Amino acid sequence: MPPTITAFESSPDRGKGHARDMRVRWAFEEVGQPYDVRLVSFAAMKQPAHRALHPFGQIPTYEDGDLTLFESGAIVLHIAEQHDGLLPKDANARARAIAWMFAALSTVEPPIVELTMAMLVERDRSWYAERLPSLQERVRIRLGELSRLGKADWLDGAFSAGDLMMVTVLRRLNTSGLLDEYPDIAAYVARGETRPAFRRAFDAQLAVFNAAARS
Amino acid sequence: MPPTITAFESSPDRGKGHARDMRVRWAFEEVGQPYDVRLVSFAAMKQPAHRALHPFGQIPTYEDGDLTLFESGAIVLHIAEQHDGLLPKDANARARAIAWMFAALSTVEPPIVELTMAMLVERDRSWYAERLPSLQERVRIRLGELSRLGKADWLDGAFSAGDLMMVTVLRRLNTSGLLDEYPDIAAYVARGETRPAFRRAFDAQLAVFNAAARS
């Protein structure tokens, strides 16, 4: 039996692939491994049965035999350690690819989530216009630093789990307009999005949303 | 030659051990490995020489022979993979410990950083009083979820790199008053802080701050 992951029954991003199961689906597709998906509702995510898999009541989770994992970063790293295709063989290059995974999640994602969340939930607050520029500036600093890395296709040589995480983090900015200011980063994100494994993963999560929307 | 890490020449937390070199120092102490420290000024961190080690111009970095790493999570994981003491031998328990590392950095730390940063830089803004409760609530949700895990000493059996990361993330709340609302989590943090390896790492970073303050 292939591993089972969980995903939103009806994703709040309406199938744009920003939910964190996308990262895990993409990883499975890159390494050519099958996986099963169990859909969970928002209500079910907060119930004890799901919290036994994920203490923070979120998706995705990963179940394979007697191993249960949560956190998309940990699940992608686990898949990358089990199968070829997402981490270099060279020990130093492998460690650097993992460093980029942490950089994506710990350094680049938080200001992007703060910005995109404020754009969703603070739009009508009195302080929105005053606070928005500082949120954008925090993201621009990170984009500028990434941009300075130069013109290589991927962060550290060959495509790795580090790129997979970074692309999924950066594409959250798709609707913010900020990527337009950094054409090289927009091109990097597009490079990730055109990988066949990305497309398969994207189509799979979109099919879930479309099926829920029709029902 | 032992690995060399970088740390603040003069830490903005005045030696409270909240800078991210603390995590790496603690990891070295847990596995009983020596390390060298190179101190960097805020100005030097943003210069090309340091950015060649750390694209985002931060500390800590890690240099060992021809390997350079950045991101405290990646460095701690690398140390944990090289030496006994921070990851279980059992493959499933090892994967779960790594999941807790990602949970600390990706799920628990961001709302804590948002809160503590707002307490520092938004205190005089017109919206501070209105926004603060929602920032505190986001942290309380995570603390409540951690609290629900029960009375075990550590997150998943024996102390691991997952606990190391989680304790360093949670102790950022020391001055917020929020830990007082969750005595079991306060006790968990205190349990981490009383480990001899933590104390040695803490004293080492404090000595740097005290030396800078005297000079």
Side-chain angles (χ1 to χ4, degrees), chain A residues 77 81 94, chain B residues 30-31 76-101 158-163:
Chain A
L77 180 56
E81 286 184 330
R94 177 184 177 281
Chain B
E30 288 285 348
V31 302
V76 168
L77 180 56
H78 180 72
I79 294 168
E81 286 183 330
Q82 303 270 308
H83 307 284
D84 289 345
L86 283 170
L87 287 175
K89 297 288 181 202
D90 174 74
N92 287 358
R94 177 184 177 280
R96 288 195 303 269
I98 293 172
W100 279 114
M101 294 183 67
F159 176 85
S160 78
D163 294 294

Side-chain angles (χ1 to χ4, degrees), chain B residues 63 126 131:
Chain B
E63 293 161 88
S126 59
R131 190 164 175 265

Side-chain angles (χ1 to χ4, degrees), chain A residues 156-172:
Chain A
D156 190 85
F159 176 84
S160 79
D163 294 294
L164 185 154
M165 297 308 284
M166 190 65 82
V167 167
T168 59
V169 163
L170 291 171
R171 63 187 296 280
R172 287 177 173 269

